[in-house]
Amino acid sequence: MEHIVIIGNGISGITAARHIRKLSDKRITVISAETDYFFSRTALMYVYMGHMKFEHTQPYEPWFWKKNRIQLMKAFVKNVNHQDKLLELQEGQSISYDKLIIATGSKPNKFGWPGQDLKGVQGLYSKQDLDGVEKYAPDNKTCKRAVIVGGGLIGIELAEMLRTRNIPVTFLVRENSFWNGVLPAGESQMINEHILEHHIDLKLATNLTEIIPDENGRAKAIKTDKDETIECDFVGLTAGVSPNVDFLKNSGIDIGRGVKVNRLLETNITDIYAIGDCAEQHEAIGYRRPIEAVWYTGRMMGETVAQTICGNKTEYKPGHWFNSAKFLDVEYQTYGWVFSERSKKDSEKHFHWRHPNEKICITVAYHSDTNKFLGINTFGIRMRHQIFNRWLTEERNVEYVMEYLKDANFDPEFYAHYEENIIQKFNTEMGTSITPKKKSWKRIFKIA
Ligand SMILES: Cc1cc2nc3c(=O)[nH]c(=O)nc-3n(C[C@H](O)[C@H](O)[C@H](O)COP(=O)(O)OP(=O)(O)OC[C@H]3O[C@@H](n4cnc5c(N)ncnc54)[C@H](O)[C@@H]3O)c2cc1C
């Protein structure tokens, strides 16, 4: 029986395993060094915040694996010997495979800062990192101040976590406005305000230069490029992630920043595939990045590679870009492409609306010549994925999107709705006279 070995029990590896099982009777082994069972990495923060126990982040009960004949192995793979189709494990043994899927995810970036390996200095990625936050920042007596370095999605999650235990947080952000490489200025500014209102000491345009140890090799302060010294007991390094591929350096597998793959998720070596955060497309798909470190793309790649491995060659085609995240209590969704001022083309125009008092806003991107709808960012309003997917596929123009915006709103009926105000502003700015159509369930659920 063909033996499929998967390195990594994250969303991509486990999705591949589940789908290979659905499609075949192949022998499946999943190896991971991190935890015994698959868990939801995106839910790690809620464990620290006391909303759930770690076990609750595991989507499948322990019996699931045996029932589905997916063998789990806790071990670290230190080398891939593709000539003999063998994996060498840190623990001494080796394991053979017929087909190998590399799904080893990411690791937090470290940029060679002095003191980056001290005790109390870490990223937020793994279960072990979660244990580290619990150890070094359990409360505001043990941790009188935490410093977070790097203003992205994980940095703000870590800040939120620490604030729930009343730990003072200083947040160093290299950019002069939060996440403004991704978010348009109005949104980025709104999130700056929101961070400050949550009593997080946001320091924009500020870089870490050094972490200073105490006599026990534990972080006691940091220095910035503004010549400031900030005393702290915990330093969170959240300046992005990069593919976890160091163990493959001498394997003969083609590595760039990640494991290089084609559209079939095949590497340069026959019978070896890579998926999820660690995979790097030779050529990016549309405006997507060659490495997509997001949950749902890992899941899609897992489904896709399972098809190919089970004899139905399938290309990875992720469709329209979407994503969602949370900035403290403000939910963010994005559909299609809305670029920041830093990276947008001249032909991309934005319509922006912001609520006068609340942290609620939207930005709609459209083409300046054709008015074609390019994408939308929403903060504090939940939208319907399926509707924007349809409008992007149908290449609707921005006026159409405004007219039918109520169809896209996914907030419960008793929530305040803002379409009237949004469209009023749109009409004023654009010189249009659009009257928003009443929400229609028939339109919403029509089969495309
Ligand atoms: C705190 C946090 C919040 C996030 N929030 C979001 C979000 O809201 N939305 C979103 O889209 N994405 C989010 N992400 C990103 C998302 O979680 C990742 O994109 C996704 O989990 C990657 O899945 P993966 O299967 O590719 O890899 P991983 O989940 O990283 O799994 C890889 C596994 O392989 C193991 N491994 C690595 N090398 C070896 C080896 N040599 N031998 C054995 N085992 C090995 C690792 O230990 C790990 O367990 C978040 C990430 C973090 C850390």
Side-chain angles (χ1 to χ4, degrees), residues 8 10-12 32-34 41-42 75-77 103-105 125 277 293-295:
I11 180 66
S12 56
S32 182
E34 185 181 3
R41 205 170 287 294
T42 57
F76 182 80
V77 178
T104 51
Y125 191 85
D277 277 26
V294 283
W295 182 265

Side-chain angles (χ1 to χ4, degrees), residues 5 111 119 152 299 306 323 395:
V5 177
F111 292 108
K119 284 184 238 166
R299 196 177 54 214
N323 204 2
E395 302 198 350

Side-chain angles (χ1 to χ4, degrees), residues 148-159:
I148 298 173
V149 182
L153 297 177
I154 297 180
I156 198 163
E157 281 194 3
L158 184 53

Side-chain angles (χ1 to χ4, degrees), residues 7-14 31-35 38-45 75-79 103-106 124-126 128 153-154 157 161 241 244-245 247 275-278 292-298 323-326:
I7 315 175
N9 67 352
I11 180 66
S12 56
I14 290 301
I31 306 175
S32 182
E34 185 181 3
T35 50
F38 167 53
F39 70 94
S40 169
R41 205 170 287 294
T42 57
L44 277 181
M45 68 183 298
F76 182 80
V77 178
K78 67 172 187 187
N79 191 32
T104 51
S106 300
L124 176 65
Y125 191 85
S126 62
Q128 287 72 17
L153 297 177
I154 297 180
E157 281 194 3
M161 287 163 64
V241 296
N244 206 347
V245 294
F247 73 106
I275 56 175
D277 277 26
C278 72
E292 296 179 294
V294 283
W295 182 265
Y296 82 91
T297 54
N323 204 2
S324 64
K326 206 169 63 72

